[in-house]
Amino acid sequence: MVGGVMELDLHGMNTYQAQIAIDAALRRCGRFSRLRLIHGYRGGTAIRDMLWTVYNKRSQVKRLVSISEGVTELVLREY
């Protein structure tokens, strides 16, 4: 699948655990164009805030897209 979306569920993780999981997923998702991160929002917005702070500056990530309050996508390739 070229250009697909890889999903990663971050529920139950703290920001440190989420960042470790996201970094591992970024190393594995070479053929995917997007990494969809399901982080939720009812328990707070710490993970969502970390995504916009940390991954907005990464060279591998072209841009971030907020799909909903609980889902953010990292765009890795534009087609």
Side-chain angles (χ1 to χ4, degrees):
M1 173 191 300
V2 176
V5 177
M6 179 182 197
E7 283 192 357
L8 181 61
D9 190 344
L10 303 173
H11 282 99
M13 296 183 188
N14 62 34
T15 56
Y16 176 76
Q17 294 167 329
Q19 192 168 354
I20 297 297
I22 295 165
D23 290 343
L26 285 171
R27 286 191 297 274
R28 293 191 315 268
C29 69
R31 62 187 177 164
F32 294 97
S33 63
R34 292 178 178 235
L35 176 58
R36 181 172 296 148
L37 303 169
I38 305 164
H39 47 76
Y41 67 94
R42 290 198 178 143
T45 61
I47 292 178
R48 181 178 62 194
D49 296 342
M50 179 271 298
L51 293 175
W52 286 90
T53 302
V54 173
Y55 293 95
N56 213 15
K57 299 173 186 171
R58 295 275 177 102
S59 62
Q60 186 178 3
V61 178
K62 303 299 180 209
R63 62 186 171 94
L64 279 78
V65 177
S66 181
I67 302 300
S68 69
E69 289 186 33
V71 179
T72 302
E73 282 188 354
L74 305 183
V75 178
L76 308 174
R77 259 182 235 63
E78 299 280 4
Y79 291 102

